[in-house]
Amino acid sequence: MALTTRPAPSVTPAARAGTEHQADRLPLENPYFAHGPRHVGYVLAASVVMLPLLVPSGPGNTALADVGILALVVVVCVWLRHEQVRVAVPYLLPMGLLVMAGVASAFQSGAESAVLAVVQDIFCLLWAAAIANAVRHRRWLLDVLLRAWVWSGVVWAGVLCVGRIAGISWMAGLSAKDGGRASLTFDDPNLAANYFLVCIALILATSVLRRVLTRVLAIALVLLAIIFTGSNGAAVGLAILIGVGLLLGIRRRQGVLAAAAVAFLAAAGATLAAPHVNLSEIGQQAGASIQLLKDSLGRTDESSGSREALASETFRLYLEGDLVGVGPGRTKATLNGEAAPYVKEAHNDYLATLVERGALGGLGLVALIAVTAVRLGRAATWSQSRWVSHLVPRPEFLLALGCALAAAALFYEVLHFRHLWAFLGLVAGIDPAVTAFERRGPGSVR
């Protein structure tokens, strides 16, 4: 497939003003509205449903979920080549910088394991590109993606909750190393909680669950699944998701001044309440309470203390290192080699990127955040076509989710979370500044 580069199509002032969108002028006979190709829809749905299937894992942290992802990439590539339409590779520039930085640091470190992280980068980029191209070229595929993701997320949450309540360890993903924290088939309670956080955002943002009662019950079930994971980071992310989402919703309905007033009142209230809240005391009381609280709030002091120690050790590596980095995924090995008092992976995407990929990797991460922020901002605030707006009537929750994931990167290394790249692909696919409706010639990279 020939790939060339061309500038992104311009957006008319009318579209910016919210009075017109290019897709709204399309005849219903346009391929964009076709219900198909069916085989792409089936594979797209299966790849999303299989996202939690990370246990058992194979060589190089591969899992059953990767089979669905790889199948979708191949099917979408074959379909687009047959259709002779342009191919977009969103996030190509920032990921190119991250890949180049990873290759350079892996070569310097001489560790074969460091190359694996670079391969994972490319795999995740192709996954996002496949989703973006699919939903850009067929509205039906956007509908399939959202329905499959929301409904499968609710079902997976139900499976975890049933297993946890019934005490079925293999169903809930309970293990001795995590105590009473459930992880489903993710092998990590925090990863499971982050996946369910994304599901809540999609329930709020989309029209998949149209009835208010159904939406409330689904959110309650997914929220219970998050509680069973015992993830404090997900609790922080949920607060950010709801807070930012509500503020953006007020901005959309009432205007900027109303949103600013609410934000000011909320900040003032939090400032007044903060001196009267003792998180350490709350954590100690939770630690002496029921198992559910022990596994979440009861770990607050221990978790924050260990992460502070790890962040300090990781930052020291950055200060004492060079501009190239120690190699992708090599933080733990490097700390172990230096007999550091606290040896673990970074659990922080920002520090991990700087330490492992050096200055060029840091530049790539900044570029990725910037590109994602721009796309999310446009998706949440620009005028969408009525076809997309019907499926995503509350896009402000997508922007709120982006803020929550950016905060989660302070606690976990989310850049290789498969569901993160599915989300980035969705955002690129509904970006109102990019259109891909009509049949064109050889593809382009955008």
Side-chain angles (χ1 to χ4, degrees):
M1 183 183 299
L3 298 180
T4 58
T5 304
R6 74 172 182 87
S10 60
V11 179
T12 65
R16 285 196 182 91
T19 59
E20 185 181 35
H21 191 279
Q22 293 183 10
D24 292 333
R25 302 194 303 268
L26 294 175
L28 292 180
E29 295 78 17
N30 190 280
Y32 176 65
F33 302 108
H35 278 216
R38 295 286 179 175
H39 67 285
V40 177
Y42 294 145
V43 176
L44 175 61
S47 66
V48 172
V49 171
M50 293 167 62
L51 276 175
L53 299 179
L54 305 184
V55 175
S57 61
N61 289 326
T62 55
L64 188 58
D66 296 321
V67 176
I69 293 174
L70 183 61
L72 180 67
V73 171
V74 173
V75 166
V76 169
C77 286
V78 172
W79 164 52
L80 293 179
R81 181 171 179 82
H82 178 265
E83 292 286 312
Q84 295 184 336
V85 294
R86 295 187 183 277
V87 177
V89 183
Y91 315 105
L92 182 62
L93 175 59
M95 287 305 295
L97 293 174
L98 284 168
V99 167
M100 286 190 293
V103 169
S105 59
F107 178 79
Q108 176 175 273
S109 68
E112 294 182 1
S113 59
V115 180
L116 175 62
V118 177
V119 175
Q120 291 172 340
D121 291 338
I122 298 172
F123 186 72
C124 289
L125 177 62
L126 293 176
W127 166 229
I131 290 178
N133 281 279
V135 303
R136 277 184 190 176
H137 288 93
R138 293 290 188 275
R139 178 189 179 276
W140 177 72
L141 292 177
L142 174 60
D143 192 16
V144 169
L145 171 68
L146 295 177
R147 288 180 180 277
W149 202 337
V150 168
W151 281 114
S152 65
V154 172
V155 171
W156 283 120
V159 171
L160 184 148
C161 291
V162 169
R164 179 66 174 78
I165 293 172
I168 306 174
S169 298
W170 63 266
M171 181 182 290
L174 298 173
S175 63
K177 67 183 179 67
D178 294 319
R181 302 178 64 194
S183 60
L184 193 63
T185 51
F186 286 95
D187 195 38
D188 183 349
N190 293 320
L191 176 56
N194 194 265
Y195 166 81
F196 288 125
L197 180 66
V198 174
C199 292
I200 288 180
L202 291 178
I203 293 172
L204 292 170
T206 68
S207 61
V208 174
L209 305 180
R210 298 183 184 278
R211 295 183 179 180
V212 175
L213 179 59
T214 305
R215 198 156 57 237
V216 169
L217 292 176
I219 291 174
L221 180 61
V222 179
L223 183 59
L224 181 60
I226 292 178
I227 292 173
F228 283 145
T229 65
S231 175
N232 293 322
V236 173
L238 183 63
I240 294 173
L241 169 66
I242 300 302
V244 174
L246 291 178
L247 282 177
L248 291 174
I250 294 172
R251 174 198 171 278
R252 180 165 60 91
R253 292 185 297 270
Q254 306 294 332
V256 176
L257 290 179
V262 172
F264 174 78
L265 291 175
T271 302
L272 293 174
H276 304 287
V277 178
N278 189 329
L279 294 179
S280 179
E281 183 179 346
I282 293 174
Q284 290 175 1
Q285 292 178 353
S289 183
I290 60 176
Q291 186 66 41
L292 194 63
L293 293 178
K294 287 181 182 179
D295 293 332
S296 53
L297 293 176
R299 300 184 302 106
T300 302
D301 287 343
E302 177 187 354
S303 178
S304 60
S306 63
R307 290 190 188 279
E308 286 176 7
L310 182 58
S312 176
E313 290 294 332
T314 306
F315 190 62
R316 179 184 60 79
L317 281 184
Y318 170 69
L319 293 177
E320 296 177 357
D322 53 32
L323 293 177
V324 178
V326 300
R330 296 278 301 163
T331 297
K332 182 177 181 179
T334 305
L335 289 173
N336 188 50
E338 295 186 359
Y342 198 84
V343 178
K344 258 190 151 181
E345 292 296 350
H347 289 286
N348 182 313
D349 265 324
Y350 307 104
L351 284 176
T353 302
L354 285 173
V355 170
E356 297 174 359
R357 304 184 189 230
L360 183 60
L363 178 62
L365 182 59
V366 170
L368 178 61
I369 294 172
V371 170
T372 303
V374 169
R375 289 188 184 277
L376 280 169
R378 290 193 300 232
T381 61
W382 282 27
S383 174
Q384 290 277 14
S385 73
R386 64 178 182 270
W387 311 106
V388 173
S389 296
H390 178 70
L391 297 176
V392 190
R394 296 170 293 275
E396 62 269 15
F397 282 103
L398 298 182
L399 177 53
L401 176 60
C403 297
L405 291 173
L410 292 167
F411 314 122
Y412 326 119
E413 295 181 51
V414 304
L415 278 180
H416 285 157
F417 286 4
R418 294 162 178 83
H419 58 263
L420 167 70
W421 285 96
F423 170 67
L424 293 182
L426 168 64
V427 171
I430 65 172
D431 185 350
V434 181
T435 57
F437 304 113
E438 61 268 26
R439 183 183 296 270
R440 296 188 177 105
S444 71
V445 175
R446 268 201 305 277

